[in-house]
Amino acid sequence: MELVTIDDIQAAASRIEPVVVRTPVVPMGEAWIKPESLQRVGSFKIRGAYNAVALLKPAGVVTHSSGNHGQALAYAASRFEIPCTVVVPEGTPQVKMDRITGFGASLVVVPPPERISAATRLAAERELTMIPPYDHLAVIAGQGTIGLEILADLPSAEVVLVPVSGGGLASGIASAIKALDPSVQVIGVEPELAADAQESLRAGHPVSWDTSRTFRTIADGLRADLSELTFAHLRDRLDAIVTVTEDQIRDAMAYIARTTRLIAEPSGAVTTAALLAGLTPPGRTVALLSGGNADPTLLRSIL
């Protein structure tokens, strides 16, 4: 199976430069945090979505998303002045749905098990190009540009913590970092209530968890299964996966806000949760804050 290369990632970095914020590496206690929450769409997803649209130059796009990729693709489509349709599952935070439509995309809400099939059907009906949230080489390459930036800003980094859902983010970052400095450990983090990636790597093949299980976690952006493509990347390039509890995620959201003055949605806080719980290897550590599109009511209750 073809995997993303460092050349793909470096090309993506040049392609996405006009729209991506060069997020800093910010001190957080004895570690560092990279806040992709500062992107225009509130998460890292703009990197992969914009790279795919810029590379493919489609006449129109469609995707399925838990919210952040949908926002990113809607924004990218608006920049290229092409139509965009986003399919989201019932239960998607309203703040994410509002931002998708705010960028001019059409929104379709379906039961969680139907989001991929609905997007596939709409692609055929409306003659749109599918830009999936993680199962695409151009998307993975775009996400990998974060790894380039981490090592450029903190070349002494020894451990990088990355959230894992469908695996596109972890695949891209691990690909970049292992190509540039194989000694750096790249550790994936996912909720205990959606630990399909950890189970998949232990089993030696992708394992799917039903939405009745994954939708129990507060981390709404980390409920997807690995694809064959992302599984191949993580099996080859990720050092390990650890899991965190719901209480640890909540505590990490509060810690990030109070320590760094940054906002993390639950999915973006899992790396800090693992760090605070002592689940990660020792060394100079960078925790990726993947997104800050937190539901206001949830955030208020946690703070």
Side-chain angles (χ1 to χ4, degrees):
M1 180 179 293
E2 180 184 1
L3 302 185
V4 163
T5 68
I6 189 64
D7 290 341
D8 296 328
I9 297 169
Q10 290 169 335
S14 296
R15 203 173 286 123
I16 67 178
E17 186 177 7
V19 300
V20 170
V21 176
R22 180 66 155 76
T23 55
V25 175
V26 179
M28 182 181 66
E30 298 300 314
W32 288 262
I33 192 165
K34 185 168 176 65
E36 284 292 289
S37 53
L38 301 180
Q39 295 294 346
R40 288 178 173 87
V41 298
S43 81
F44 73 95
K45 290 285 191 178
I46 185 59
R47 296 173 183 267
Y50 190 88
N51 186 52
V53 175
L55 185 64
L56 299 175
K57 297 180 173 60
V61 293
V62 63
T63 196
H64 54 91
S65 171
S66 60
N68 283 343
H69 176 67
Q71 293 179 66
L73 189 63
Y75 175 80
S78 71
R79 291 284 301 232
F80 286 91
E81 299 182 337
I82 60 174
C84 175
T85 299
V86 179
V87 178
V88 300
E90 295 169 348
T92 298
Q94 190 64 45
V95 64
K96 295 183 178 182
M97 294 194 290
D98 289 345
R99 289 173 181 167
I100 289 170
T101 56
F103 287 124
S106 299
L107 186 70
V108 178
V109 182
V110 299
E114 298 176 17
R115 76 179 203 180
I116 296 177
S117 60
T120 302
R121 183 181 68 253
L122 289 169
E125 292 175 355
R126 302 182 185 181
E127 298 183 341
L128 301 172
T129 297
M130 173 74 80
I131 306 292
Y134 52 86
D135 190 25
H136 196 289
L137 288 171
V139 172
I140 293 172
Q143 322 304 29
T145 59
I146 296 171
L148 303 181
E149 294 177 9
I150 289 173
L151 291 187
D153 290 348
L154 193 67
S156 61
E158 298 171 293
V159 180
V160 176
L161 308 179
V162 187
V164 179
S165 181
L169 175 62
S171 295
I173 291 178
S175 295
I177 288 177
K178 291 301 184 181
L180 297 175
D181 188 348
S183 70
V184 177
Q185 295 188 73
V186 184
I187 308 296
V189 186
E190 62 183 349
E192 284 186 356
L193 298 184
D196 56 282
Q198 185 185 67
E199 184 178 339
S200 296
L201 292 180
R202 287 175 176 170
H205 58 82
V207 175
S208 177
W209 282 28
D210 188 81
T211 54
S212 63
R213 299 176 69 188
T214 59
F215 269 62
R216 296 173 299 163
T217 179
I218 192 177
D220 59 277
L222 302 183
R223 295 166 174 167
D225 295 328
L226 299 181
S227 67
E228 292 285 351
L229 178 62
T230 56
F231 174 79
H233 281 82
L234 299 189
R235 179 179 56 186
D236 187 59
R237 298 169 179 175
L238 195 70
D239 289 289
I241 291 183
V242 299
T243 64
V244 292
T245 67
E246 300 300 289
D247 285 343
Q248 287 168 339
I249 295 171
R250 291 173 180 269
D251 291 345
M253 291 176 67
Y255 178 85
I256 290 168
R258 293 167 181 156
T259 305
T260 68
R261 279 71 61 190
L262 294 165
I263 299 300
E265 63 185 273
S267 303
V270 295
T271 53
T272 298
L275 181 66
L276 295 176
L279 301 174
T280 59
R284 294 169 66 86
T285 300
V286 178
L288 180 64
L289 195 176
S290 57
N293 295 313
D295 176 77
T297 302
L298 172 65
L299 183 63
R300 183 167 60 248
S301 70
I302 287 172
L303 294 179

